[in-house]
Amino acid sequence: MLKQNDMVARQLRDRFRAAGVFVVSMVSSPGSGKTTLLEKTLTLLRKSYRVAALVGDLATENDAQRLARSQAPVQQITTGTLCHLEAAMVERALDAWKLEELDFLFIENVGNLVCPSSYDLGENLRLVLISVTEGEDKPRKYPTIFNSADVAVVTKTDLAGAVEFDWGAVSESIQAVRPGMQVLRVSAKTGEGMGSYLEFLAAQRAESCVAKIEV
Ligand SMILES: Nc1nc2c(ncn2[C@@H]2O[C@H](COP(=O)(O)OP(=O)(O)O)[C@@H](O)[C@H]2O)c(=O)[nH]1
Ligand SMILES: [Mg+2]
């Protein structure tokens, strides 16, 4: 028996695939830089792709307002007391949009390294962000979220020197919980790593089944 969320997520995945939209979700602790990276991502990708974003928080429309500066369509989902997004919330939020008119849909989950891990949102790619200011051992402390994600993104690399970030230690920590996991590095502030990160997203979309059914 599938959990109720898994059933809705499966329907969402089918809809995304049929519409040809590639869906990327972002999970991390609060303050790791999800919104900052997403605002940059939307601004840059929108030159070549049709992009939109959903963003979850317990309260406020703050992140949606920040993301809307990219000029991309954005919707805030407020969860009240819930520490994660559920597939049904994503489904409801999508009522207002025609999915066939999108190439990329981004979903910023509620900032939390625990709850979001067990909720499939029907996404094609789940990114787990870890900022250099959080310490290198977070993957070992929160293995489930790293196991539920496809790729790790180390953020705020411009601050790495200031906090004496140990790249070897974070790499060991990630590989200990998820052997072979791909790790990207970005600074949304300076733009370092943004080019490779955007190329990675475009390549993932091109390789996915959503892109294949377009042709
Ligand atoms: N130095 C630096 N600060 C960043 C970077 N990305 C985000 N921040 C800062 O980190 C804080 C939290 O970022 P935010 O995007 O709101 O994180 P979220 O809670 O994961 O969405 C803000 O003060 C951002 O300005 C970065 O690449 N470099
Ligand atoms: Mg945010």
Side-chain angles (χ1 to χ4, degrees):
M1 272 283 285
L2 286 171
K3 282 195 308 177
Q4 176 66 20
N5 185 78
D6 289 334
M7 288 194 278
V8 180
R10 185 179 278 188
Q11 286 162 8
L12 275 179
R13 188 167 279 113
D14 288 345
R15 269 179 70 194
F16 294 149
R17 186 181 172 159
V21 57
F22 188 73
V23 183
V24 182
S25 77
M26 301 164 98
V27 292
S28 81
S29 53
S32 299
K34 295 180 296 299
T35 309
T36 310
L37 179 60
L38 187 48
E39 185 187 342
K40 276 267 162 69
T41 305
L42 294 171
T43 304
L44 295 167
L45 277 187
R46 151 170 209 276
K47 295 173 187 165
S48 319
Y49 297 94
R50 302 166 300 173
V51 298
L54 300 176
V55 52
D57 278 300
L58 268 65
T60 83
E61 299 269 331
N62 292 358
D63 279 7
Q65 285 168 9
R66 285 168 61 193
L67 295 174
R69 295 187 297 213
S70 69
Q71 311 290 326
V74 175
Q75 276 190 73
Q76 180 83 46
I77 302 174
T78 45
T79 61
T81 53
L82 215 57
C83 53
H84 60 266
L85 289 176
E86 293 186 0
M89 298 174 182
V90 171
E91 190 181 39
R92 273 195 299 279
L94 292 175
D95 276 349
W97 289 340
K98 286 201 176 73
L99 287 177
E100 322 62 75
E101 294 176 1
L102 295 177
D103 298 317
F104 277 101
L105 171 67
F106 290 88
I107 305 173
E108 176 183 335
N109 213 318
V110 178
N112 191 299
L113 280 178
V114 184
C115 315
S117 42
S118 37
Y119 289 86
D120 183 5
L121 302 178
E123 67 270 66
N124 299 93
L125 183 73
R126 183 175 291 195
L127 306 177
V128 58
L129 275 59
I130 172 178
S131 58
V132 298
T133 52
E134 285 168 75
E136 299 84 353
D137 62 347
K138 288 298 174 291
R140 282 189 208 267
K141 287 182 177 169
Y142 300 92
T144 320
I145 198 101
F146 281 81
N147 271 306
S148 84
D150 302 295
V151 172
V153 183
V154 180
T155 60
K156 310 192 192 181
T157 56
D158 56 292
L159 300 177
V163 297
E164 297 179 0
F165 191 67
D166 185 338
W167 287 103
V170 79
S171 185
E172 271 170 30
S173 183
I174 292 170
Q175 299 307 322
V177 298
R178 189 72 189 276
M181 189 176 217
Q182 184 170 358
V183 182
L184 303 174
R185 304 177 180 194
V186 293
S187 166
K189 196 138 264 178
T190 64
E192 183 190 12
M194 282 300 292
S196 316
Y197 163 77
L198 294 175
E199 276 167 27
F200 169 78
L201 291 181
Q204 288 288 305
R205 180 178 186 281
E207 281 169 23
S208 74
C209 38
V210 298
K212 287 197 184 81
I213 56 167
E214 252 177 32
V215 285

